[in-house]
Amino acid sequence: MRRPRGLHFYLDPLMDERLATLLADLERAESLAGADLHRAARRAAWLGEFTTAQLAEFLNAVAAMPLPLSAAADRLLANWLLGAVRARRAAMRVPQVKASEDSQILPPLERLYRGLASASAARGQLLAWLSTGGSAAELALLGGLLLEDPPQGDEEVVQALAPLFQRQRTQAALLFPRLLHAMSSPALAAPVLDLANFLTREKIVAQHPAGEVAPELVSLLGELVQTLLILEERPAEFGDSPQELSRRVARGVALAVSLCDALAQIGDKSAIAKLYQALRVGHRRLRTEAAAALARLGEETGVTELVQLAAEPIARLRVLTYADELGIMEKIEPQFATPEARAEAELCVWLAEPTQYGVPPTSIQLFDHRKQHWPGFDEPVDCFLFEFQYLVTVDGQEQSFSNIGIAGLLAHAFAADLGDVPPEDIYAAFAGWHAQHEDIREHDVGRLSKSERLEVERLKRRLSDEGYAAIEPQRMGYFFGEKALIATARRQDVSGIAIADFKDTYFFPQRHSRRPIGVEEAYSIYKGRKLLKVFNR
């Protein structure tokens, strides 16, 4: 077996060739690019096929490399470990890992975890592997690592704990009350309390795991609320960058929300005064949670506040859920409980996610509504398009930004400006983007085989024959046997995206917007037109 250079210190003579290749990829990760990087990333499938013994050998070998890994190697390792976690999750229908296998893999896993950088993305996947298994030994190690050496990033914490909200519900109770000590970590405080709240709400535990420390939770809520009020009134006093200030507020609100929920479930009425203070914070998510907690504790003010918050799209879905739980739906104005109102709220919540715009839109209004057949649904569904707008101040000048999003059956908005696109094509864009099928796919032209590149040239020539110029092929699409070339091009001195199959050509001009339609949106419209035409004959 040919061994990659530089690995003779790490390789056992009997190590499988695939393990050697993976280690070589990590060693040269900084120089991987293009097709080589793509091939290395796809080797995540190998870890999904490894036996426990092979995975243990791989973890041992990585732990023996110079640690911490480079940023590129860490990203690669995190991607591979995600493959192992997914494979383990899929295999959870079979008997769990035996104790002997636990003892085989847990030592190298712990060694590698502690050797990686504190900000490593791979550490979150190692924790997710433990929580996915959920054996007593795995949960003991998980709890120890979270207490002694917790991950720093919010995303890594989510990866680590998510399986405990899903398959491993009963086993998760074994982590308490020990896990409550991890609340001293800013990244862990809210997720740990959320897990305790979840176990209580689902009646997996007889009593709230944090019930005995309720006085400390009340005090913590009071401190958090005061900090959040000062942050709202005088943010400059904290001296943080806008990004750090936003992160501080997000973590503070998340923990305050979890505290409100916990104190309501515990039933501690000594929290009422602090919950009233929380109603003064401008953040609507926190106000909603504080109002619901007050309502659960018998305070009519909480009910009144919930009824008023139903008018706020960003809070509406949670308000409606709480109103149903509390038996006060008849107090909510009917206009805020309609399918349109719920769809409007769904889009606002999606837009406010940290991975999207981070805050709800300044305004939102219905743009179009129709009931139609949609790919993946057996019956016609209500589809809503909303026009949303953001007003932001940049260098003292107020600027506006608007676009069209969909809600009802899904919530989504493109980066490209769809404001001047006909509703039919907007629906098509979302339908094409949303559709998933093994016979619908596309590939960058640079990764096509020699024979497929000949097809690209044939379709490029078709565009040229129809008067297009400056044709730059981008992707080849495969749609139920049909092939289509997606390219940037010019037609009559107008730049845009051209799509050619062996029957028709289509052109999507890139108008003067700062966010013109790109390759993704154009091809989504192309696919969506065909799908919606078939589904809505």
Side-chain angles (χ1 to χ4, degrees):
M1 178 179 72
R2 183 181 64 82
R3 296 183 180 181
R5 288 173 53 190
L7 293 179
H8 55 280
F9 293 108
Y10 314 130
L11 291 180
D12 185 288
L14 300 178
M15 181 175 285
D16 182 89
E17 179 71 31
R18 292 196 300 180
L19 297 180
T21 302
L22 290 168
L23 296 174
D25 283 343
L26 289 179
E27 196 172 59
R28 63 192 183 104
E30 292 289 344
S31 63
L32 289 175
D36 289 337
L37 180 60
H38 181 67
R39 279 192 292 270
R42 291 183 63 183
R43 291 182 182 122
W46 291 0
L47 267 70
E49 298 169 359
F50 281 176
T51 64
T52 302
Q54 288 173 323
L55 184 59
E57 187 177 2
F58 171 73
L59 296 179
N60 259 323
V62 177
M65 296 178 73
L67 297 177
L69 298 172
S70 68
D74 187 80
R75 287 193 298 270
L76 200 55
L77 177 61
N79 180 66
W80 292 343
L81 290 171
L82 176 60
V85 171
R86 286 175 172 169
R88 191 171 205 207
R89 188 179 302 130
M92 287 307 294
R93 298 184 182 91
V94 301
Q96 293 185 8
V97 180
K98 298 177 181 178
S100 60
E101 293 177 324
D102 276 347
S103 63
Q104 185 179 29
I105 197 170
L106 296 190
L109 187 149
E110 180 178 5
R111 181 183 173 199
L112 176 56
Y113 179 91
R114 293 187 184 278
L116 294 171
S118 58
S120 164
R123 298 211 312 172
Q125 297 300 344
L126 290 172
L127 295 177
W129 197 91
L130 293 172
S131 58
T132 298
S135 70
E138 288 166 334
L139 290 180
L141 178 56
L142 173 68
L145 294 175
L146 289 174
L147 284 167
E148 300 163 19
D149 193 7
Q152 290 185 347
D154 296 339
E155 185 175 346
E156 284 72 46
V157 172
V158 170
Q159 291 167 350
L161 296 183
L164 302 177
F165 289 84
Q166 298 159 4
R167 295 178 182 272
Q168 307 307 331
R169 299 179 175 192
T170 304
Q171 295 92 318
L174 299 174
L175 290 167
F176 292 97
R178 181 189 182 201
L179 196 58
L180 291 174
H181 297 293
M183 288 181 60
S184 58
S185 164
L188 275 171
V192 165
L193 203 51
D194 284 340
L195 181 58
N197 294 339
F198 172 78
L199 296 175
T200 306
R201 183 174 292 106
E202 296 294 312
K203 302 189 184 328
I204 296 168
V205 293
Q207 295 182 330
H208 197 288
E212 294 190 5
V213 294
E216 289 90 334
L217 300 186
V218 173
S219 177
L220 179 57
L221 177 61
E223 294 171 5
L224 265 176
V225 167
Q226 291 305 313
T227 300
L228 290 170
L229 288 170
I230 295 172
L231 277 168
E232 286 183 349
E233 295 171 4
R234 304 188 298 276
E237 291 186 7
F238 288 82
D240 295 330
S241 67
Q243 294 79 11
E244 182 57 33
L245 187 63
S246 176
R247 186 183 184 191
R248 183 190 288 235
V249 171
R251 282 185 170 175
V253 168
L255 180 53
V257 163
S258 302
L259 286 165
C260 290
D261 187 16
L263 291 167
Q265 292 199 60
I266 293 169
D268 191 340
K269 293 206 169 189
S270 68
I272 288 176
K274 304 300 183 186
L275 291 169
Y276 272 107
Q277 291 177 10
L279 290 179
R280 294 166 46 204
V281 178
H283 200 286
R284 284 160 290 192
R285 171 73 196 282
L286 177 52
R287 283 167 50 206
T288 301
E289 207 67 42
L294 285 168
R296 288 195 182 100
L297 294 173
E299 295 292 303
E300 188 61 31
T301 301
V303 175
T304 303
E305 186 74 14
L306 279 176
V307 170
Q308 294 174 349
L309 282 165
E312 302 278 357
I314 190 63
R316 185 175 298 145
L317 294 177
R318 196 168 293 273
V319 167
L320 294 175
T321 298
Y322 290 149
D324 186 52
E325 291 177 2
L326 294 165
I328 59 170
M329 277 296 293
E330 75 282 354
K331 296 187 178 183
I332 303 293
E333 290 189 36
Q335 70 190 68
F336 299 132
T338 64
E340 177 187 327
R342 290 176 184 271
E344 177 188 36
E346 288 168 5
L347 183 58
C348 281
V349 170
W350 184 85
L351 291 169
E353 289 179 359
T355 53
Q356 303 307 324
Y357 294 93
V359 292
T362 307
S363 64
I364 183 168
Q365 62 182 4
L366 185 67
F367 182 79
D368 191 83
H369 165 232
R370 59 191 67 181
K371 196 162 190 170
Q372 58 187 325
H373 286 279
W374 195 267
F377 292 83
D378 295 330
E379 300 295 331
V381 291
D382 279 308
C383 303
F384 299 91
L385 297 180
F386 292 94
E387 182 175 15
F388 60 88
Q389 183 181 46
Y390 284 88
L391 294 178
V392 295
T393 301
V394 179
D395 297 329
Q397 298 291 321
E398 189 173 75
Q399 299 181 7
S400 65
F401 161 91
S402 64
N403 209 348
I404 308 294
I406 192 171
L409 68 165
L410 74 152
H412 188 65
F414 289 105
D417 185 359
L418 302 183
D420 58 356
V421 175
E424 291 75 15
D425 276 350
I426 299 177
Y427 284 116
F430 291 118
W433 173 85
H434 186 230
Q436 293 185 350
H437 193 278
E438 60 183 8
D439 291 326
I440 302 177
R441 65 191 190 280
E442 59 261 12
H443 300 292
D444 290 342
V445 293
R447 293 179 178 169
L448 297 178
S449 66
K450 187 175 181 179
S451 62
E452 288 171 318
R453 290 193 188 116
L454 292 176
E455 299 285 88
V456 169
E457 289 303 316
R458 288 178 61 195
L459 291 168
K460 181 179 177 182
R461 188 161 53 248
R462 178 179 174 83
L463 286 172
S464 180
D465 291 343
E466 294 201 13
Y468 290 88
I471 304 166
E472 295 290 338
Q474 301 295 319
R475 296 182 192 173
M476 178 70 95
Y478 301 84
F479 184 85
F480 295 104
E482 293 185 7
K483 297 178 182 179
L485 174 66
I486 306 102
T488 57
R490 293 183 64 83
R491 187 175 71 174
Q492 297 177 352
D493 292 329
V494 177
S495 297
I497 307 298
I499 298 180
D501 56 30
F502 288 103
K503 295 180 182 178
D504 299 292
T505 61
Y506 307 85
F507 186 64
F508 301 89
Q510 294 181 322
R511 296 181 172 86
H512 300 296
S513 167
R514 289 176 295 176
R515 307 183 318 278
I517 288 177
V519 168
E520 179 187 11
E521 295 84 10
Y523 188 53
S524 293
I525 294 174
Y526 170 87
K527 293 182 292 183
R529 283 175 176 174
K530 293 177 177 289
L531 288 167
L532 292 180
K533 182 178 180 180
V534 170
F535 276 82
N536 292 282
R537 282 175 177 170

